[in-house]
Amino acid sequence: MSRVYNFSAGPAALPEEVLRQAAEEMLEWRDAGCGVMEMSHRGRHFTSIIERAEADLRALLALPREYKVLFLQGGGTQQFSQVPMNLLAGGSADYLVTGAWSQKAFDIASALAPNMNGAVRLAVSTAESGFRRLPRSDEYTLNPRAAYVHLCTNETIHGVEFMSPEQLPDTAAPLVADMSSHILSRPMEVSRFGMIYAGAQKNIGPSGLAVVIVREDLLDRAWSGTPALMKYRAMADSGSMLNTPPTYSIYIAGLVFQWLLREGGLAEMETRNAAKAKQLYDCIDGSDFYRNEIDPASRSRMNIPFLLADAALEADFLAGAERAGLLQLKGHKSVGGLRASIYNAMPPEGVAALVDYMREFARTRG
Ligand code: PMP
């Protein structure tokens, strides 16, 4: 077997230990007589799996009691609709658009809002900068009576991240954050947010699963036309089991949470992720051959897009990288260029191997 370093933005590399444990438990989970995929979601075995997963996630994030954890389906994208259905009612929501994903969330909410007699307002967009920086707080004003203020705290495609608490919008309205591509990469001050959601396929587990963390007081604001399966209240009251949940995905997410706790939790992840990102940005910034065009104060630690001085060399760069066991470095098709996604499961050795390859490529082709 030759596992390579996989820099995919998602579905992304998972910790090898997690995959090995899942392989060992594939045919029989403990003494259950069957594997996790085959067991009843209402039986005692799966109940213990989902309860442990939630407890471990709570421990990792130091979640206050008033936040509910939901394991939902439909990935991150489903939340672009579910958020307005559950939180907008007849009110108005403010959206910050800082890249492709918050743009998508804004577009979907805008299309839905009239059906609910609600309104969606573009508070600010950094599109004019090519989404290369976060907005400054003096560039926008927020409606303090907004039903919620939506933002994407890490833009997977453009590589901008809200890093410090001061960069977050200052508002009395509930903040709703799409954290799909950096949740669990460092400690997060959850109490700043009314709701957090994340598609799982980067730092949590398999695609299709979404983790939603929502404050209790926001559970009862759903638009009357919301189907039961889409209602946070109904999902919270049923322990995410209004229907059959994605059991295997929840199990893998639980193994990832256990791995994170064993590794030292989110403070340790932050130390590692900061070091990995610094190594890669230092390599890019220290060379005329590579460049990252994101404002340094807005740069993501998880998704690092970069360009070659000569774009014609991209295909050679990617082919050589693949031969060196460094996969999925092509940038998103909407922006081109290259991108390295370095989530929790990317070991420091993977980033070191990428940096070695980049230096050698620049030396021989620059
Ligand atoms: N939000 C962000 C920040 C993402 O990166 C993605 C997927 N890359 C999504 C939402 C959409 O997630 P999904 O494909 O699971 O619907």
Side-chain angles (χ1 to χ4, degrees), residues 59-128:
L60 283 165
L61 285 167
L63 268 193
R65 290 169 73 94
E66 64 271 25
Y67 287 81
K68 295 282 184 194
V69 173
L70 312 179
F71 295 103
L72 305 184
Q73 307 191 48
T77 305
Q78 181 78 289
Q79 294 310 310
F80 297 164
S81 305
Q82 244 176 305
V83 165
M85 283 174 136
N86 280 276
L87 302 181
L88 188 59
S92 172
D94 283 349
Y95 275 67
L96 277 64
V97 171
T98 54
W101 290 108
S102 50
Q103 181 73 58
K104 217 168 211 177
F106 171 72
D107 291 343
I108 288 178
S110 301
L112 268 176
N115 302 316
M116 304 183 276
N117 290 323
V120 167
R121 192 176 73 96
L122 180 64
V124 66
S125 166
T126 53
E128 101 297 331

Side-chain angles (χ1 to χ4, degrees), residues 297-319:
S298 308
R299 283 174 163 182
S300 169
R301 278 187 191 148
M302 296 281 103
N303 308 99
I304 303 184
F306 57 99
L307 299 162
L308 303 183
D310 178 1
L313 290 175
E314 265 174 29
D316 283 358
F317 179 93
L318 290 168

Side-chain angles (χ1 to χ4, degrees), residues 9 74-78 80 101 152 154-156 178 180-181 199 201-202 208:
T77 305
Q78 181 78 289
F80 297 164
W101 290 108
C152 174
N154 186 68
E155 289 282 358
T156 321
D178 175 359
S180 295
S181 49
Q201 65 272 33
K202 297 128 189 331

